[in-house]
Amino acid sequence: MSDTRRRVKVYTLNEDRQWDDRGTGHVSSTFVERLKGTSLLVRAESDGSLLLESKISPNTAYQKQQDTLIVWSEADNYDLALSFQEKAGCDEIWEKICQVQGKDPALDITQDPIDESEEERFPEEIPETSHLVELPPCELSRLEEIADLVTSVLSSPIRREKLALALVSEGYIKKLLGLFRVCEDLDNREGLHHLYEIVRGVLFLNKAALFEVMFSDDCIMDVVGCLEYDPALVQPKRHREFLTKTAKFKEVIPITDSELRQKIHQTYRVQYIQDIILPTPSVFEENFLSTLTSFIFFNKVEIVSMLQEDEKFLTEVFAQLTDEGTDDSKRRELVNFVKEFCAFSQTLQPQNRDAFFKTLANLGILPALEIVMGMDDLQVRAAATDIFSYLVEFSPSMVREFVMQEPQQTDDDVLLINVVIKQMICDSDPELGGAVQLMGLLRTLIDPENMLASTNVSKTNGHRVSEFLLQVLHACPDCSSSVLSVPDQLTLTDYCVCHLSDLQEGSAKINPVCPDNFQTAQLLALILELLTFCVEHHTYHIKTYIMNKDLLRRVLVLMNSKHTFLALCALRFMRRIIGLKDEYYNRYIIKGNLFEPVINALLDNGTRYNLLNSAIIELFEFIKVEDIKSLIAHIVDNFYKALESIEYVQTFKGLKGRYEQEKDRQSQRISSFPSSRYRRDARSLDEDEELWFNDDDDDDEGEPVEKSRIEDDFSDSYGKYMEAKKACCLDYDVTQDVCIPSQTTLVGLVDYPDDEDEEDDDEEEQSPRKRPRLTS
């Protein structure tokens, strides 16, 4: 019994004026020799560690709130609170605090938190706190006097405390509310205006004991009524009418606990008073309602805890939510309830929130979302997306594990990841609000940082990273009912690259699948942002995907879009790839002649000085500054004639200069080394990679390589190369996204920096594909 009575939660107030949960334990009051005084000690119930050690100072103001809370400040901007499980335990510790300070335990605050300067300014206000403020008789004729008294004490902490004690001890609040009903019956506007000032001033006294009376079922609607008669308004507001008639309390599942129902009603009404009725506080008043904020906070914590503990209630909610027989209006109410439930959970502290979401996971929140996110009702889908957002933001690892395990646990093609991507692609909102939200959630799910944040991920778990990333990229939603006329069974990237793949230069043919309109362009831009993020953070795995799909060549078709922002997204994708300075990517770009659409876009832009012009020039400037030799040689050999007329920047002349310097350097080195030494077999790239790059050197010179032939080369040759690479890997490091070589990997004994020169010369002899604009 003793353990239960003294069970407490420790809270601290953070910089955002929100209460942080520091843990649950058991409190005791003990003399601590080191602190030279009686102290409050809280030891964690989990491991017995010390959560709190606070000396009961004679000068500290302790306050008891709501019968189970003790709040105090130990230093500037450092507030503490103990939330007791039982009222008896709170009373016991409160008596101990009052005993140490020599105060009456019947009071709700031990003393006023004032500084010495205030004591000097108001010496007449320092008599014993037991002397209460003398209140005028609660009569209609004295309302103006009462209003003046309440207003006058707000500037003095001591007088506020004395007035609060007087109001509580004499039951004055209920008497005032009785006068309100009389004034309203008599339509006494002057009296009603005075009552507005009185009730508003009492709220600013910031005392929990007063709130307990004012927000009780018997009084709260009269308090709202008093606050309707603001003297600054010509006509009173109708807040009571809204709360009783317009705002309806919907029980999606009947709540049998009367205390829980009363707490929900009270919290809603108090929140309404704070957010709607009371005016925005001035700088002077901003701290007057801190106790009101705490009152609402702890009410919400209690509501979530009570609902969470009622397993029968939540089980019934999820059963009806996923039942095919549930009608649309009922399901909409259920989804909105779960959304509001998750919103309330944001008031919980990390430990409690973790338990909250684990409870939802055990009840099947993710399978339920899979069902409701695929429904036709826009309101249901929007609410389900918000719930999914709460889950991803709090525990992305939980969502990832569900997505990866689901294909093994069900034969159904309706998978959560497919549903999410379908909702993103099929968003009917012209502004794509839902698509933007879902794309941000997908980005969170594939972010390597939060892949490591939740658990201790070892290097071997890098394969799980690859599995989830590929599951996202290969997700194949059924979009047959899309408002954008998206064909069935398209992956995310297939949808992206099919957009303009049938649109040829100089042709009036329009792609009927993905028209080049603004909404489609916005969606494609979002997909490209996700792929660009993968290039930056998943270099090892996305490289395989790009090569096998020949993705960069297909994405660069979007450079033809009439929407400049989409062309910039495609260019940004290429810029991130080149920014990696990966020679394998460079050779892929050279082999596919992938600078051609970029240079065509630059030439088509003409003399216009805009963002597209600057972005393309920055790409070539980066290549020049970083001295990427293979790309420089390819650009100068194949495109310099088309670019040499551009003289408003020195970028292309600089590329030509770099190219000529490299040729001179190579010539000097060739002449200074014996040919047998220069033509070594040692290479920075292995034999499989070299074979892949040279396997179609026999193609007819000047003829374009067919798309199907290129894709076959990527999937076969590159796949063999990557398998050989993986065989030499001890493991994959998810933190660095790199392959860790095995100790048995063979390494060449000697390598020379000029060994690549000969191959560069061989590759430069190939004639690239040309477009008419580049040769005219």
Side-chain angles (χ1 to χ4, degrees):
M1 183 67 180
S2 176
D3 288 344
T4 304
R5 187 173 66 253
R6 293 200 176 189
R7 190 169 184 263
V8 296
K9 283 184 176 294
V10 180
Y11 291 92
T12 59
L13 196 65
N14 61 29
E15 295 179 354
D16 299 326
R17 308 300 295 173
Q18 298 294 324
W19 289 101
D20 291 336
D21 187 351
R22 296 305 182 188
T24 302
H26 295 87
V27 64
S28 62
S29 56
T30 309
F31 183 84
V32 178
E33 183 66 30
R34 178 172 54 84
L35 299 178
K36 305 296 183 185
T38 302
S39 304
L40 297 176
L41 303 179
V42 180
R43 295 195 176 276
E45 64 179 2
S46 58
D47 56 7
S49 60
L50 194 63
L51 297 178
L52 176 68
E53 184 181 62
S54 173
K55 180 182 177 182
I56 302 176
S57 171
N59 300 319
T60 299
Y62 292 85
Q63 186 174 5
K64 186 169 69 168
Q65 301 178 7
Q66 302 182 42
D67 292 333
T68 57
L69 282 173
I70 297 178
V71 183
W72 73 97
S73 298
E74 287 205 342
D76 293 341
N77 299 323
Y78 186 69
D79 292 355
L80 290 164
L82 294 180
S83 177
F84 289 78
Q85 182 173 333
E86 295 185 10
K87 179 180 182 296
C90 181
D91 292 340
E92 183 179 338
I93 295 299
W94 181 250
E95 289 178 5
K96 188 65 176 179
I97 293 172
C98 292
Q99 179 183 345
V100 172
Q101 291 197 339
K103 303 297 181 180
D104 183 0
L107 303 177
D108 285 335
I109 189 168
T110 58
Q111 53 190 289
D112 289 293
I114 60 174
D115 55 25
E116 296 179 358
S117 60
E118 190 171 55
E119 292 181 8
E120 294 173 359
R121 291 198 305 270
F122 302 104
E124 72 279 3
E125 298 178 37
I126 311 299
E128 291 297 323
T129 57
S130 58
H131 297 165
L132 304 181
V133 172
E134 184 176 350
L135 293 170
C138 193
E139 300 172 356
L140 288 177
S141 59
R142 308 295 290 272
L143 285 177
E144 182 176 4
E145 183 181 349
I146 298 172
D148 290 341
L149 172 63
V150 173
T151 304
S152 67
V153 305
L154 294 180
S155 61
S156 168
I158 285 185
R159 296 187 66 192
R160 287 206 308 270
E161 178 63 27
K162 291 181 180 294
L163 178 59
L165 291 173
L167 291 172
V168 173
S169 62
E170 298 183 20
Y172 210 76
I173 299 296
K174 292 188 176 182
K175 297 177 183 178
L176 287 170
L177 296 178
L179 288 181
F180 163 73
R181 291 188 289 271
V182 173
C183 287
E184 198 166 40
D185 291 339
L186 298 174
D187 196 21
N188 183 349
R189 288 304 177 92
E190 183 179 0
L192 291 170
H193 290 164
H194 289 318
L195 282 166
Y196 169 87
E197 297 291 346
I198 293 169
V199 171
R200 180 175 177 273
V202 171
L203 288 173
F204 281 163
L205 293 178
N206 204 28
K207 301 302 177 183
L210 293 175
F211 294 160
E212 291 288 346
V213 177
M214 298 175 73
F215 301 148
S216 64
D217 289 344
D218 297 337
C219 299
I220 190 167
M221 295 309 293
D222 288 333
V223 169
V224 172
C226 291
L227 294 174
E228 290 178 352
Y229 292 93
D230 186 347
L233 301 176
V234 177
Q235 292 294 329
K237 296 288 186 179
R238 296 183 177 180
H239 298 300
R240 285 173 294 174
E241 182 178 340
F242 174 83
L243 290 173
T244 56
K245 296 181 180 180
T246 306
K248 297 296 184 180
F249 178 63
K250 296 181 179 180
E251 295 183 76
V252 291
I253 303 294
I255 297 176
T256 57
D257 189 338
S258 59
E259 182 183 356
L260 173 59
R261 190 187 298 107
Q262 185 272 335
K263 188 72 67 174
I264 293 173
H265 284 305
Q266 183 188 61
T267 304
Y268 176 79
R269 291 165 179 171
V270 176
Q271 188 83 62
Y272 184 86
I273 290 173
Q274 184 186 49
D275 295 342
I276 305 300
I277 300 180
L278 291 177
T280 303
S282 64
V283 176
F284 175 72
E285 300 169 337
E286 62 182 0
N287 292 324
F288 281 3
L289 296 176
S290 59
T291 304
L292 181 62
T293 302
S294 298
F295 185 94
I296 296 171
F297 171 83
F298 287 110
N299 264 17
K300 288 183 177 180
V301 170
E302 192 170 351
I303 290 171
V304 174
S305 299
M306 294 172 74
L307 285 172
Q308 187 177 338
E309 292 169 2
D310 191 344
E311 294 184 2
K312 184 178 179 181
F313 177 85
L314 290 178
T315 301
E316 183 65 22
V317 168
F318 283 96
Q320 293 195 22
L321 187 63
T322 55
D323 187 357
E324 294 180 358
T326 304
D327 61 77
D328 294 342
S329 59
K330 180 70 172 179
R331 182 173 282 108
R332 188 181 304 117
E333 291 178 357
L334 288 165
V335 173
N336 286 329
F337 166 78
V338 177
K339 173 187 172 182
E340 190 169 355
F341 193 31
C342 291
F344 263 47
S345 74
Q346 302 307 296
T347 62
L348 300 176
Q349 299 310 313
Q351 294 175 343
N352 305 86
R353 206 179 310 166
D354 185 49
F356 169 80
F357 282 112
K358 284 181 180 178
T359 300
L360 293 186
N362 293 335
L363 291 169
I365 182 69
L366 288 170
L369 284 179
E370 185 177 297
I371 294 174
V372 295
M373 286 184 74
M375 292 183 174
D376 296 331
D377 192 312
L378 292 177
Q379 293 184 12
V380 170
R381 290 211 309 264
T385 300
D386 289 337
I387 297 170
F388 185 65
S389 176
Y390 284 123
L391 295 172
V392 171
E393 289 175 5
F394 180 75
S395 182
S397 60
M398 178 182 71
V399 179
R400 275 195 301 269
E401 285 302 315
F402 176 82
V403 169
M404 288 189 288
Q405 293 174 8
E406 190 179 18
Q408 285 76 38
Q409 297 175 350
T410 178
D411 297 331
D412 194 351
D413 292 335
V414 182
L415 304 176
L416 178 61
I417 192 66
N418 290 351
V419 172
V420 170
I421 292 177
K422 175 184 176 181
Q423 293 309 314
M424 186 186 69
I425 292 177
C426 303
D427 188 5
S428 59
D429 180 9
E431 299 298 327
L432 293 182
V436 172
Q437 183 182 10
L438 289 171
M439 184 60 73
L441 297 177
L442 283 177
R443 180 167 172 165
T444 300
L445 288 172
I446 64 173
D447 191 338
E449 291 187 6
N450 67 56
M451 284 182 172
L452 294 174
S454 57
T455 58
N456 294 324
V457 179
S458 64
K459 293 177 180 178
T460 56
N461 284 341
H463 300 297
R464 301 288 285 171
V465 177
S466 173
E467 180 184 348
F468 180 77
L469 177 63
L470 293 179
Q471 199 161 349
V472 172
L473 294 175
H474 287 293
C476 204
D478 177 12
C479 294
S480 55
S481 60
S482 168
V483 295
L484 298 177
S485 300
V486 181
D488 297 359
Q489 304 301 308
L490 274 183
T491 68
L492 190 66
T493 47
D494 286 338
Y495 173 77
C496 178
V497 298
C498 82
H499 175 59
L500 290 177
S501 58
D502 294 331
L503 185 61
Q504 302 296 330
E505 178 194 352
S507 171
K509 181 181 178 181
I510 298 177
N511 188 341
V513 173
C514 302
D516 194 15
N517 57 42
F518 180 76
Q519 186 175 359
T520 306
Q522 278 187 305
L523 180 57
L524 292 169
L526 288 174
I527 297 173
L528 282 177
E529 285 184 14
L530 184 67
L531 294 174
T532 303
F533 179 83
C534 292
V535 168
E536 293 175 330
H537 296 88
H538 292 276
T539 54
Y540 184 76
H541 298 297
I542 196 66
K543 185 194 296 186
T544 306
Y545 189 81
I546 290 174
M547 297 299 181
N548 287 337
K549 292 286 187 179
D550 193 13
L551 189 58
L552 179 57
R553 180 184 63 79
R554 300 166 72 189
V555 165
L556 287 176
V557 175
L558 300 175
M559 295 293 295
N560 294 327
S561 174
K562 65 183 179 182
H563 301 285
T564 304
F565 72 88
L566 181 57
L568 286 167
C569 287
L571 182 65
R572 188 182 305 116
F573 181 65
M574 184 179 189
R575 172 66 175 81
R576 291 296 182 272
I577 290 176
I578 292 177
L580 297 175
K581 295 187 286 187
D582 186 326
E583 192 60 27
Y584 199 80
Y585 270 132
N586 295 342
R587 291 172 180 271
Y588 161 63
I589 292 171
I590 293 170
K591 183 181 180 66
N593 197 30
L594 299 184
F595 277 110
E596 183 177 341
V598 176
I599 293 175
N600 277 337
L602 177 64
L603 298 177
D604 289 343
N605 192 63
T607 58
R608 285 175 291 180
Y609 181 62
N610 52 20
L611 188 55
L612 181 63
N613 174 273
S614 299
I616 294 175
I617 289 176
E618 190 278 333
L619 172 67
F620 290 105
E621 185 70 22
F622 175 81
I623 295 170
K624 183 193 77 173
V625 171
E626 296 298 326
D627 196 16
I628 305 177
K629 295 180 176 57
S630 58
L631 296 184
I632 292 175
H634 174 71
I635 294 167
V636 174
D637 281 342
N638 298 283
F639 306 112
Y640 187 70
K641 288 184 179 179
L643 299 172
E644 63 181 345
S645 61
I646 299 177
E647 298 181 345
Y648 53 86
V649 291
Q650 299 301 309
T651 299
F652 301 108
K653 288 187 176 180
L655 287 172
K656 178 72 169 177
R658 293 269 191 182
Y659 172 75
E660 292 175 347
Q661 290 175 7
E662 180 63 17
K663 289 194 68 174
D664 292 342
R665 186 181 68 83
Q666 290 180 9
S667 299
Q668 294 174 3
R669 288 194 174 188
I670 290 174
S671 62
S672 61
F673 285 97
S675 59
S676 61
R677 184 179 182 185
Y678 176 72
R679 298 181 179 273
R680 289 184 53 84
D681 291 334
R683 292 288 317 279
S684 60
L685 299 174
D686 60 27
E687 184 176 351
D688 290 335
E689 182 183 355
E690 179 64 21
L691 179 63
W692 183 83
F693 277 116
N694 293 331
D695 60 358
D696 62 349
D697 285 346
D698 295 335
D699 291 338
D700 294 337
E701 185 174 345
E703 294 182 4
V705 181
E706 294 181 0
K707 175 180 176 181
S708 60
R709 170 67 185 280
I710 291 178
E711 292 182 349
D712 291 341
D713 288 343
F714 284 129
S715 59
D716 295 338
S717 301
Y718 183 74
K720 294 177 182 178
Y721 164 69
M722 291 306 295
E723 289 298 325
K725 280 288 187 184
K726 290 178 181 178
C728 298
C729 286
L730 177 64
D731 213 331
Y732 173 74
D733 186 356
V734 66
T735 60
Q736 301 297 327
D737 198 26
V738 295
C739 178
I740 304 173
S742 171
Q743 295 179 356
T744 60
T745 303
L746 297 178
V747 180
L749 297 178
V750 181
D751 195 8
Y752 294 96
D754 58 340
D755 286 347
E756 297 181 7
D757 297 340
E758 181 187 29
E759 185 186 30
D760 291 341
D761 291 338
D762 293 340
E763 291 191 357
E764 289 165 8
E765 294 175 1
Q766 287 186 294
S767 177
R769 293 173 290 171
K770 305 276 187 174
R771 285 195 180 181
R773 283 173 289 176
L774 296 177
T775 57
S776 59

